[in-house]
Amino acid sequence: MPFIRAESLKNAVVIAIFLLSFKEGAAADLTRGHSIAVRWCSECHMVAPGQGHGSDAVPTFAEIKASDRLDEAQLTAFLSAPEHSRMPNLSLTRAEIADLVAYIKAQRKVGRNSGD
């Protein structure tokens, strides 16, 4: 039995090291997040200051960032779900979702119609 525990511990350590190295190497890219937002989200959401169009019926990215209900984990889960309520199924990869969430979380509060 000690061999099984040692092997399980060894496997757990290997998995932990893999996950830590993956997390460090998979830092979100704000530039890619911006590109994804402009391409897939800007038709409805205000995704950046000075954007010329967007719907008043949906929150801006700055409003999403400021929401107490949506932290990074909740945004990631929402964007990972196959159905996004009224949103189209974007079929984003994990890396694209991480980039988009990072971009949303980097927004600052800006008025809907301001050029700030």
Side-chain angles (χ1 to χ4, degrees), residues 29-43 47-48 61 90 92 96 99-104 107:
D29 184 322
L30 294 178
T31 302
R32 284 191 310 203
H34 175 260
S35 295
I36 294 165
V38 168
R39 181 173 182 192
W40 295 107
C41 310
S42 65
E43 196 63 33
V47 302
F61 274 22
L90 303 176
L92 300 172
E96 289 169 329
D99 296 340
L100 183 57
V101 169
Y103 178 74
I104 291 170
Q107 299 305 295

Side-chain angles (χ1 to χ4, degrees), residues 52-86:
H53 63 302
S55 172
D56 287 337
V58 298
T60 67
F61 274 22
E63 291 168 338
I64 293 169
K65 182 222 178 185
S67 171
D68 292 335
R69 298 179 315 151
L70 295 171
D71 62 15
E72 290 179 27
Q74 291 163 321
L75 277 173
T76 298
F78 176 77
L79 292 170
S80 299
E83 298 293 326
H84 302 103
S85 65
R86 296 178 292 173

